[in-house]
Amino acid sequence: MPELPEVEVVRRGVAEAVVGRTVRDVLARVPRLRWPVPTDLAQRLAGQVVRAAHRRGKYLLMEFDTGWLIVHLGMSGSLSVAAPGTPPRTHDHLDLVLDDGSLLRLHDPRRFGAVLWHDRADGPVESHALLARLGVEPFSDAFSAELLHRATRGRTASVKQALLAGDVVVGVGNIYASEALFRAGIRPTTRAGRVRLARWQRLADAIRATLAEAIDKGGSSLRDFVGTQGQSGYFQNDCYVYDRAGQPCRVCGTAIRAIRQQQRSTYYCPSCQR
């Protein structure tokens, strides 16, 4: 699933290629992804200018004068900019046709993604049901070790599960949680409520550093993810632990271990992470 770095890479590509353009038409080839695609989307967007491209957690928010188009890439989705007249491939489910003829195209083989509309008359986009309860952004001033420490007092869930829950901090998905916990020297099975403030400080710093590095490297392309120009990310080539079970730790040489936590793979070094 595309995580925060991948969505941020897409946001930047959309901002560069699409912001300032006028939508000429919307071509929706399927009536439903994870939820129904609004049937009146073409009427809502035709003639409107894309004012900005934002990101909230793993959601891409394209801003128009009358509201926001909310896009989630699901398990396998991607957004690409295609030349005018480019024929759709299988699983190319939706196009925004722009004033120069170019296409912002959603490709989603599993159809777990979403394309929704939030009208400005219904309030700020942050009030949308999918966004209203999300935790803080890891690059915001609100994100801190003190926040993590305070929010996890009494939690019996593991520290990794607390990161993935999304109610305290958003966007730290499976790959980057494993990598940040390694950098912070914290074993992923440690109970979140037992992590002391000093260790949360190391983890908060590691989360920011890991996500920033992943964005700089175009995200991670383990299966389907590509950027808006079709480029693959390469953060996965330098992972310390993720998807490296049985291989030597890049720091100490101990074999990396893999376990399952809530049906997700977790990777860690039993020597470096205590």
Side-chain angles (χ1 to χ4, degrees):
M1 174 186 290
E3 300 179 7
L4 185 153
E6 290 76 49
V7 179
E8 178 61 21
V9 168
V10 170
R11 185 203 68 79
R12 294 180 182 187
V14 169
E16 181 177 352
V18 176
V19 169
R21 293 284 182 188
T22 300
V23 176
R24 194 169 72 196
D25 198 3
V26 178
L27 304 177
R29 300 182 183 89
V30 298
R32 183 182 180 92
L33 296 171
R34 185 173 181 182
W35 297 286
V37 177
T39 57
D40 61 349
L41 201 54
Q43 290 78 13
R44 286 183 178 276
L45 295 184
Q48 286 212 54
V49 176
V50 184
R51 298 298 184 188
H54 309 286
R55 180 192 52 75
R56 182 72 172 100
K58 301 176 186 179
Y59 292 91
L60 177 69
L61 313 174
M62 296 176 61
E63 185 174 1
F64 298 85
D65 288 339
T66 58
W68 293 265
L69 190 67
I70 302 174
V71 179
H72 192 279
L73 298 177
M75 296 292 293
S76 59
S78 60
L79 279 173
S80 62
V81 179
T86 303
R89 304 165 295 164
T90 303
H91 308 306
D92 283 348
H93 297 316
L94 185 140
D95 290 346
L96 293 189
V97 184
L98 304 174
D99 50 8
D100 63 350
S102 64
L103 310 169
L104 182 63
R105 174 165 284 172
L106 174 67
H107 180 79
D108 187 3
R110 298 190 187 183
R111 291 173 59 177
F112 286 164
V115 176
L116 302 170
W117 176 255
H118 182 80
D119 201 87
R120 197 173 292 274
D122 295 328
V125 68
E126 292 80 10
S127 66
H128 189 277
L130 291 175
L131 309 178
R133 296 186 179 182
L134 293 181
V136 302
E137 290 286 334
F139 294 117
S140 71
D141 292 339
F143 179 64
S144 67
E146 290 76 15
L147 169 71
L148 294 171
H149 184 261
R150 184 173 61 253
T152 54
R153 294 309 86 196
R155 287 202 183 189
T156 59
S158 73
V159 61
K160 185 182 178 225
Q161 290 167 331
L163 294 179
L164 296 185
D167 59 333
V168 180
V169 58
V170 293
V172 187
N174 199 39
I175 298 171
Y176 305 110
S178 288
E179 290 297 302
L181 285 163
F182 173 82
R183 295 184 185 206
I186 299 173
R187 188 161 295 197
T189 53
T190 304
R191 287 188 180 184
R194 292 184 175 179
V195 178
R196 292 172 295 182
L197 180 59
R199 301 191 88 193
W200 278 120
Q201 185 62 64
R202 292 201 299 272
L203 184 53
D205 293 342
I207 287 170
R208 285 199 182 98
T210 300
L211 294 176
E213 181 180 331
I215 292 168
D216 288 343
K217 293 181 177 179
S220 298
S221 292
L222 299 178
R223 295 179 181 85
D224 305 290
F225 174 73
V226 292
T228 55
Q229 301 300 322
Q231 74 277 19
S232 297
Y234 57 94
F235 178 83
Q236 72 278 1
N237 297 333
D238 299 319
C239 283
Y240 285 100
V241 291
Y242 187 82
D243 203 26
R244 298 190 66 243
Q247 298 181 46
C249 174
R250 299 186 192 276
V251 174
C252 73
T254 303
I256 299 299
R257 292 182 185 175
I259 58 174
R260 299 287 289 180
Q261 291 181 287
Q262 290 190 330
Q263 300 181 340
R264 296 183 182 184
S265 296
T266 294
Y267 302 88
Y268 70 99
C269 173
S271 179
C272 293
Q273 294 171 261
R274 300 288 185 178

